[in-house]
Amino acid sequence: MRQPEPLTIDDSLLLEKVKDGSTHAFNLLFEKYWEKAYSAAYKRLKNGEDAKDIVQEIFTKIWLNRQTHMIENFPAYLHVAIRNNVIKSLSKQKHFHPFFDILENIPEKNSQADANLLWKEFFKSYEELMESLPPKRQIIFRLRYQEDLSTKVISMKLGITRKTVQNQLGKAIETLRVSLLRILTIAIILITTS
């Protein structure tokens, strides 16, 4: 008798069997979603190896936590897991600024002049916000993201603990992210609707 195609098998049935330790059911689930998961990760990372690593890590965790972690909607779970792992992966990269990636979503149909204007306004607002940060926080942020120093090097350079550096970076990023995303969203809406 022929085995059913992975795409036709109900996710909840596969997940139930995975929970019971069925490697066959796990492999079917993997086959069913591998390509979709890889495409979603690759679209965000633009790096095949990193995308593969993320998908492998997600499925490994699913297998390792199969008896304790209940998944009700597998596509939704996968979507969130990919998004979270991509963010984690990007934040480890050297030149990642967590609030800049929204610029990639600006439609290409917009003229170069509009894009240049947006960038100028964005960086003007960025500098104003940087200047509004407490002096020590501003220094820490610039050392980390503009001079590309590690938190360990910054802590030694400034004579403070690494935890303090991390806390100050977290506060700076949160302030900038909230304010700059608001500015960018308004600018993008104006550009895309004009």
Side-chain angles (χ1 to χ4, degrees):
M1 192 170 113
R2 237 183 99 195
Q3 292 288 331
E5 288 292 314
L7 293 175
T8 63
I9 301 172
D10 183 55
D11 291 346
S12 55
L13 180 64
L14 286 174
L15 288 166
E16 197 58 47
K17 289 183 177 183
V18 167
K19 187 179 176 187
D20 293 336
S22 168
T23 54
H24 178 67
F26 178 78
N27 289 337
L28 288 174
L29 196 66
F30 184 82
E31 278 180 51
K32 185 175 180 179
Y33 285 100
W34 162 258
E35 196 172 322
K36 194 181 287 185
Y38 173 80
S39 294
Y42 183 82
K43 193 168 98 178
R44 291 175 169 96
L45 292 169
K46 307 287 190 264
N47 181 307
E49 286 306 308
D50 289 348
K52 281 181 192 172
D53 288 346
I54 281 176
V55 176
Q56 287 293 140
E57 186 180 332
I58 291 167
F59 276 95
T60 301
K61 282 182 183 173
I62 289 168
W63 178 255
L64 293 174
N65 299 322
R66 66 188 179 277
Q67 293 176 324
T68 55
H69 195 74
M70 295 302 299
I71 302 170
E72 291 182 23
N73 181 338
F74 194 75
Y77 171 86
L78 202 54
H79 173 76
V80 171
I82 289 166
R83 185 194 65 206
N84 291 345
N85 279 272
V86 164
I87 290 169
K88 198 184 336 173
S89 173
L90 288 173
S91 67
K92 290 176 185 172
Q93 292 177 13
K94 284 162 74 168
H95 302 294
F96 174 67
H97 293 258
F99 36 82
F100 290 162
D101 61 341
I102 192 169
L103 291 171
E104 291 176 14
N105 297 322
I106 299 171
E108 289 178 18
K109 66 178 182 180
N110 295 311
S111 71
Q112 192 63 38
D114 287 342
N116 288 340
L117 182 64
L118 176 61
W119 273 108
K120 282 179 186 169
E121 285 301 311
F122 176 79
F123 282 109
K124 182 180 170 200
S125 300
Y126 168 78
E127 277 305 318
E128 287 172 1
L129 281 165
M130 285 298 293
E131 295 296 324
S132 75
L133 292 175
K136 194 109 174 179
R137 190 174 299 165
Q138 185 184 147
I139 291 165
I140 290 169
F141 186 88
R142 288 188 191 276
L143 288 172
R144 176 67 187 102
Y145 290 108
Q146 292 175 350
E147 294 185 30
D148 200 32
L149 299 179
S150 69
T151 54
K152 186 178 180 181
V153 171
I154 295 169
S155 70
M156 289 189 299
K157 190 173 180 138
L158 298 179
I160 56 179
T161 67
R162 195 170 177 187
K163 186 74 177 161
T164 301
V165 171
Q166 291 167 338
N167 287 341
Q168 289 299 313
L169 281 173
K171 288 175 183 175
I173 287 170
E174 189 57 27
T175 301
L176 292 169
R177 185 181 62 82
V178 170
S179 301
L180 292 175
L181 282 181
R182 193 177 308 123
I183 293 163
L184 270 178
T185 304
I186 293 166
I188 289 167
I189 289 168
L190 290 174
I191 285 175
T192 56
T193 55
S194 62

